[in-house]
Amino acid sequence: MTSRVDRALRALEPPRVGPLREGTFTSPARSTRVAAILGLALGVCFTICFATGIVSHAIQHPPGWFAWPPRPAWVYRFSQGIHVATGIATIPLLLAKLWTVYPRLWTFPPLHSVAHLVERVSLVPLVGGSLFLLFSGFASITRWQPWSFSFPPVHYAVAWITIGGLVIHVGAKLATTRTALSRSARGDDERSDAVGDGLSRRGFLGAVAGVTAGLTILTIGQTFRPLAWLGVLAPRDPRVGSQGLPVNTSAATANVEERAASPAFRLTVTGEVDEELELDLASLRALPQREAVLPIACVDGWSATAHWRGVPFAELLAFAGAGADATARVESLQDPQGAYGISELSASQITDLDTLLALEVNGEALNLDHGFPCRLIGPNRPGVQQTKWVTRVVVM
Ligand SMILES: Nc1nc2c(c(=O)[nH]1)N[C@H]1C(S)=C(S)[C@@H](COP(=O)(O)O)O[C@H]1N2
Ligand SMILES: [Mo]
């Protein structure tokens, strides 16, 4: 039955209009082999981007069984740097791939089998999802928000939909890709490159590789310090900012200037403690201090190492008489209901002595924009969890 329908469909004559006319698309760079090579590169970038995205999401919304360890301290910085870098690299790869395969939208008949239908339908979540992820991710790292929804949950949900489309697409295209990447297909491509004119397949792939590598090299410096000087296209230069660090939200933007600078400032330690504490800045400075060299690693993909000095949370909690396996919620003077005004510390993060209530950065008292009088800084935490202007610690 199906095969009869298939045969009937194949026998149809294409209407000779618009891009359905034969000979509309003539570029040799649109070969199946080029599409397969771009597909492979995209598949690798996309999978790495997806995996690192899942890690980032799990850290910020940990399921019950998941505990993100404080060590090694560089893992989050590395993983998020890779997430954003592979996302950026995917932009030219995806555009090139869409250009290469676009004429296939016009093959006739539009559908010739059930398998073909499934493959075509899976392109909707795959192409639509990829374009959405790249656009929203790109807009987000440049701090441009032309939408009203909350970015993380939507970006996360669409990632799953897209990866579903990708799995179906890879399954449907496996045989074609294998043939297209074989040695004989390579010979065919090289022969038609030799006789064809215009941009050759090799030239096109070279240009795409060049643009992708270039974009990566000109942006990776936002997290990879040795290349910071080359980061001309990066949204952030990790070397630029007061006290040697970029500032995401200033004290003015967070509307905390007055309260943070006020001599009436107190840090409260409350919850499951023997003794509630109310500490002014002088008392905080009188507690045992420790130095730690730790990065701020923003979800936006930039990161910067700094020298921090302050009170280890372990000391602070011990001073209040908290239990050895205590966890804590850290609240900011900024609206503690908002996404940035609150974060949690697991028992293992508190036990790590480098998890500090920092009072100083790079040898100076924190300035207002970096969280004066005190901020949370801990190893292996996303920047968004390094809460500034801390005023309350609730021990649990
Ligand atoms: N209270 C508060 N803390 C905050 C933020 C914020 O907006 N409000 N931004 C977070 C984010 S997203 C990052 S990347 C770091 C940036 O720290 P910095 O501005 O000191 O470089 O602070 C984090 N702490
Ligand atoms: Mo951030």
Side-chain angles (χ1 to χ4, degrees), residues 176-199:
T176 318
T177 306
R178 237 189 238 146
T179 317
L181 294 178
S182 70
R183 207 169 289 170
S184 69
R186 176 170 172 182
D188 289 348
D189 261 26
E190 275 167 6
R191 271 187 297 282
S192 46
D193 263 358
V195 297
D197 49 16
L199 186 58

Side-chain angles (χ1 to χ4, degrees), residues 246-249 296 298 302 332 334 340 369-370 375 383-384 386-389:
V247 173
N248 254 4
T249 314
I296 292 258
C298 181
W302 62 267
S332 171
Q334 192 185 1
Y340 294 108
D369 286 341
H370 285 301
R375 78 172 300 165
V384 58
Q386 311 279 31
T387 308
K388 304 197 272 193
W389 314 293

Side-chain angles (χ1 to χ4, degrees), residues 211-336:
V211 170
T212 308
L215 258 185
T216 306
I217 290 168
L218 298 181
T219 51
I220 197 73
Q222 67 175 332
T223 183
F224 185 58
R225 194 62 172 246
L227 291 186
W229 62 282
L230 268 174
V232 291
L233 293 182
R236 284 305 174 105
D237 185 333
R239 300 165 302 178
V240 175
S242 64
Q243 303 188 300
L245 272 185
V247 173
N248 254 4
T249 314
S250 67
T253 309
N255 194 23
V256 295
E257 274 175 311
E258 240 171 75
R259 286 168 293 154
S262 160
F265 171 86
R266 296 289 181 275
L267 174 85
T268 311
V269 181
T270 181
E272 311 263 312
V273 289
D274 290 344
E275 189 193 349
E276 277 202 9
L277 305 177
E278 284 239 343
L279 305 165
D280 60 10
L281 184 51
S283 326
L284 280 174
R285 288 192 174 132
L287 287 173
Q289 311 280 312
R290 180 182 162 93
E291 275 190 33
V293 181
L294 292 173
I296 292 258
C298 181
V299 285
D300 292 345
W302 62 267
S303 70
T305 301
H307 293 250
W308 306 92
R309 196 176 137 81
V311 187
F313 267 87
E315 299 272 6
L316 185 69
L317 267 56
F319 191 51
D325 57 351
T327 64
R329 194 172 71 231
V330 178
E331 296 176 5
S332 171
L333 282 172
Q334 192 185 1
D335 174 15

Side-chain angles (χ1 to χ4, degrees), residues 83-106:
H83 180 70
V84 172
T86 49
I88 291 173
T90 304
I91 297 173
L93 291 175
L94 182 68
L95 294 178
K97 169 96 178 178
L98 291 177
W99 178 82
T100 305
V101 298
Y102 162 76
R104 290 175 206 195
L105 273 181
W106 304 104

Side-chain angles (χ1 to χ4, degrees), residues 88-243:
I88 291 173
T90 304
I91 297 173
L93 291 175
L94 182 68
L95 294 178
K97 169 96 178 178
L98 291 177
W99 178 82
T100 305
V101 298
Y102 162 76
R104 290 175 206 195
L105 273 181
W106 304 104
T107 51
F108 196 87
L111 291 173
H112 55 68
S113 66
V114 176
H116 193 215
L117 172 70
V118 173
E119 192 255 314
R120 290 281 126 144
V121 170
S122 78
L123 290 177
V124 176
L126 181 57
V127 177
S130 312
L131 289 173
F132 175 84
L133 289 173
L134 294 184
F135 175 74
S136 61
F138 173 77
S140 181
I141 64 172
T142 58
R143 308 239 122 197
W144 172 48
Q145 236 202 357
W147 54 74
S148 56
F149 55 79
S150 163
F151 168 77
V154 178
H155 194 74
Y156 179 70
V158 174
W160 280 104
I161 294 169
T162 312
I163 210 81
L166 183 65
V167 168
I168 297 175
H169 186 72
V170 168
K173 291 290 183 183
L174 208 53
T176 318
T177 306
R178 237 189 238 146
T179 317
L181 294 178
S182 70
R183 207 169 289 170
S184 69
R186 176 170 172 182
D188 289 348
D189 261 26
E190 275 167 6
R191 271 187 297 282
S192 46
D193 263 358
V195 297
D197 49 16
L199 186 58
S200 69
R201 300 166 200 212
R202 189 175 272 244
F204 177 63
L205 281 178
V208 174
V211 170
T212 308
L215 258 185
T216 306
I217 290 168
L218 298 181
T219 51
I220 197 73
Q222 67 175 332
T223 183
F224 185 58
R225 194 62 172 246
L227 291 186
W229 62 282
L230 268 174
V232 291
L233 293 182
R236 284 305 174 105
D237 185 333
R239 300 165 302 178
V240 175
S242 64
Q243 303 188 300

